[in-house]
């Protein structure tokens, strides 16, 4: 039996490269590697999509503004917790403590100085926080300089003197000392003051609910509301007469002042201004309600309680729900709404009420 390989088959066999098996294995390895890379990129894509979806959900959860609270119920809660007496100033002090507690401990905590996702992608809530911080700073400074002192020559309260500068730290500072730590420290000093005012701690503290002290705070409120209203109104752009000199032809300024100005808020700042106004008015509502309780005698004597309640009513309208996913910036009488102009309208009316209230307290 002939087992020899035919010459034709031998020729084919001879044509196969010596490293054929190695080349075949390398080709199969490359195909396998490409398939593995494709699967790897696919999993990376799925992971990235899930990460982004999670960030969106977290942003939606943490971007919710806190609700309003009842200042008198809140005062009773703090009085029970710290065994405070029912004295003048408890409602205002408890409102301040609750405002700062919500600022620091709401879902997501304090976000203005966060540099990691999802908070780094958020700007509405940090703007809201800044609005609250401005009202907190103004109130604690008036408490330190006026309300807790019998007269300008009297000694300032030691705890309020420690509390006030803590709230004037950069609101978005994340490196040591971080903003939250400073604000928490300021809140603790204010709590020590309240424990001396209404509790048993020594030495005793004071809260003078006088007309002149209230007027000092209202002056600050008036300026803050006026600034917010003006910035919100500039969302669509407008030409304004320059009133910086107050109409005084003899006044001078450090820089050239044109007779007319064109003011328009940058597009990227429109929602920031809006949410800053929401935060500022949220805090102001509670402080005014507390002032209505602690300064009731002064307000009744000046027949000004109704004025305070009307101001609060105007400010409460600024907290209405927003039914669109973004802040709209339509023209004044255009097809789309302009949320900034609506907010400016409420704040302007509240500001007018504050001006009338201040004048009533000074002259009435």
């Amino acid at each position: 039996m002939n087992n020899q390989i035919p010459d034709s088959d031998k020729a084919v066999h001879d044509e196969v490269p010596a490293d054929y098996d190695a080349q075949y294995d390398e080709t199969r390895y490359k195909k396998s590697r490409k398939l593995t890379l494709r699967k790897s990129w696919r999993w990376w894509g799925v992971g990235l999509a899930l990460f982004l979806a999670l960030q969106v959900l977290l942003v939606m959860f943490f971007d919710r503004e806190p609700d309003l609270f009842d200042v008198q119920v809140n005062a009773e809660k703090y009085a029970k917790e710290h065994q405070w007496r029912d004295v003048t100033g408890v409602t205002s002090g408890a409102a301040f403590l609750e405002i700062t507690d919500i600022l620091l401990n709401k879902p997501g905590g304090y976000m203005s100085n966060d540099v990691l996702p999802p908070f780094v992608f958020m700007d509405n809530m940090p703007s809201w926080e800044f609005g609250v911080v401005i009202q907190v700073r103004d109130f604690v400074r008036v408490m330190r300089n006026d309300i807790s002192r019998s007269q300008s020559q009297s000694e300032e309260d030691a705890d309020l003197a420690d509390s006030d500068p803590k709230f004037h730290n950069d609101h978005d500072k994340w490196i040591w000392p971080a903003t939250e730590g400073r604000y928490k420290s300021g809140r603790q000093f204010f709590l020590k003051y309240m424990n001396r005012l209404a509790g048993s701690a020594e030495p005793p503290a004071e809260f003078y609910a006088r007309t002149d002290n209230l007027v000092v705070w209202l002056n600050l409120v008036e300026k803050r509301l006026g600034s917010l209203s003006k910035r919100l109104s500039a969302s669509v752009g407008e030409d304004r007469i320059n009133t910086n000199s107050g109409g005084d032809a003899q006044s001078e300024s450090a820089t050239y002042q044109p007779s007319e100005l064109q003011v328009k808020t940058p597009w990227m700042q429109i929602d920031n201004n809006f949410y800053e106004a929401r935060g500022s008015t949220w805090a102001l509502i509670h402080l005014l309600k507390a002032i209505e309780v602690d300064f009731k005698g002064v307000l009744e004597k000046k027949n000004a309680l109704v004025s305070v309640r009307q101001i609060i009513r105007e400010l409460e309208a600024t907290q209405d729900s927003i039914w669109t996913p973004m802040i709209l910036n339509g023209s004044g009488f255009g097809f789309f709404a302009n949320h900034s102009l609506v907010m400016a309208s409420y704040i302007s009316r509240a500001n007018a009420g504050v001006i009338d209230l201040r004048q009533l307290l000074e002259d009435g």
Side-chain angles (χ1 to χ4, degrees):
M1 187 173 182
N2 188 5
N3 293 327
Q4 293 182 350
I5 300 175
D7 293 341
S8 59
D9 291 343
K10 289 173 64 178
V12 172
H13 180 75
D14 292 340
E15 290 177 1
V16 176
D19 59 348
Y20 173 78
D21 291 339
Q23 291 180 1
Y24 177 76
D25 290 342
E26 183 178 356
T27 301
R28 187 169 59 178
Y29 170 75
K30 288 181 178 178
K31 289 182 179 180
S32 175
R33 182 173 175 80
K34 287 181 180 178
L35 183 61
T36 302
L37 287 174
R38 287 176 183 173
K39 290 181 178 179
S40 176
W41 280 111
R42 189 177 302 155
W43 281 113
W44 274 106
V46 171
L48 179 61
L50 291 174
F51 174 78
L52 293 176
L54 177 62
Q55 299 307 305
V56 170
L57 292 175
L58 289 174
V59 167
M60 293 173 63
F61 177 76
F62 291 131
D63 210 29
R64 298 176 301 166
E65 299 170 48
D67 295 328
L68 297 171
F69 61 87
D70 188 309
V71 295
Q72 291 183 292
V73 172
N74 177 69
E76 293 172 1
K77 179 189 76 172
Y78 274 86
K80 183 177 180 181
E81 180 180 349
H82 298 282
Q83 297 181 344
W84 290 346
R85 304 184 308 276
D86 184 15
V87 299
T88 301
V90 166
T91 306
S92 298
F96 179 89
L97 289 170
E98 184 68 10
I99 288 169
T100 51
D101 181 64
I102 292 173
L103 175 68
L104 296 169
N105 299 314
K106 64 185 179 304
Y110 186 77
M111 306 178 196
S112 294
N113 62 345
D114 287 328
V115 294
L116 295 176
F119 308 109
V120 71
F121 304 126
M122 301 169 61
D123 63 346
N124 293 344
M125 187 53 67
S127 297
W128 184 91
E129 290 174 343
F130 183 65
V132 175
V133 167
I134 292 298
Q135 293 298 335
V136 165
R137 288 173 176 173
D138 288 347
F139 189 78
V140 72
R141 178 142 295 180
V142 172
M143 285 290 299
R144 172 189 180 182
N145 292 337
D146 300 280
I147 296 178
S148 65
R149 303 172 66 182
S150 60
Q151 54 186 341
S152 60
Q153 300 300 317
S154 59
E155 186 178 356
E156 66 182 1
D157 187 273
D159 288 324
L160 291 178
D162 288 330
S163 176
D164 174 33
K166 299 295 185 183
F167 289 104
H168 285 77
N169 194 51
D170 292 341
H171 78 285
D172 57 355
K173 187 177 181 181
W174 63 273
I175 58 175
W176 187 88
T179 299
E180 295 100 319
R182 300 277 289 183
Y183 289 177
K184 287 177 182 177
S185 177
R187 185 178 182 278
Q188 285 301 116
F189 280 119
F190 194 94
L191 180 59
K192 288 174 65 177
Y193 159 79
M194 289 300 300
N195 285 333
R196 293 190 295 107
L197 175 72
S200 57
E202 294 291 339
E206 293 292 347
F207 185 102
Y208 295 101
R210 297 197 313 257
T211 302
D212 57 335
N213 290 337
L214 182 54
V215 167
V216 171
W217 181 65
L218 290 175
N219 266 312
L220 289 175
V221 171
E222 176 186 326
K223 291 178 174 62
R224 297 300 186 189
L225 293 179
S227 175
L228 288 172
S229 175
K230 197 166 187 177
R231 283 191 286 146
L232 290 165
S233 299
S235 62
V236 294
E238 59 182 355
D239 294 323
R240 291 178 179 168
I241 301 297
N242 190 343
T243 60
N244 294 339
S245 63
D248 186 355
Q250 303 302 319
S251 66
E252 296 181 359
S253 61
T255 58
Y256 169 72
Q257 298 286 325
S259 59
E260 294 187 8
L261 301 171
Q262 184 170 22
V263 183
K264 183 174 175 61
T265 304
W267 182 75
M268 294 294 292
Q269 292 295 319
I270 289 172
D271 60 334
N272 294 346
N273 288 342
F274 181 86
Y275 280 100
E276 180 185 336
R278 291 267 286 193
S280 187
T281 51
W282 177 87
L284 191 54
I285 288 168
H286 298 103
L287 293 175
L288 280 168
K289 287 182 176 180
I291 289 297
E292 180 185 351
V293 175
D294 288 326
F295 286 78
K296 186 176 181 180
V298 169
L299 295 171
E300 285 181 338
K301 183 179 179 180
K302 300 287 187 176
N303 196 26
L305 270 175
V306 174
S307 299
V308 173
R309 290 168 183 167
Q310 182 58 34
I311 294 168
I312 294 171
R313 183 69 58 85
E314 297 290 355
L315 291 175
E316 285 177 334
T318 66
Q319 303 301 304
D320 288 347
S321 299
I322 303 170
W323 297 104
T324 56
M326 62 181 296
I327 301 305
L328 300 181
N329 191 47
S331 58
F333 294 99
F335 185 76
F336 292 102
N338 187 302
H339 292 139
S340 297
L341 292 182
V342 175
M343 177 72 78
S345 174
Y346 290 132
I347 291 179
S348 294
R349 292 206 297 267
N351 192 32
V354 171
I355 294 172
D356 291 341
L357 174 61
R358 177 181 56 77
Q359 292 175 344
L360 178 61
L361 292 172
E362 290 177 333
D363 306 330

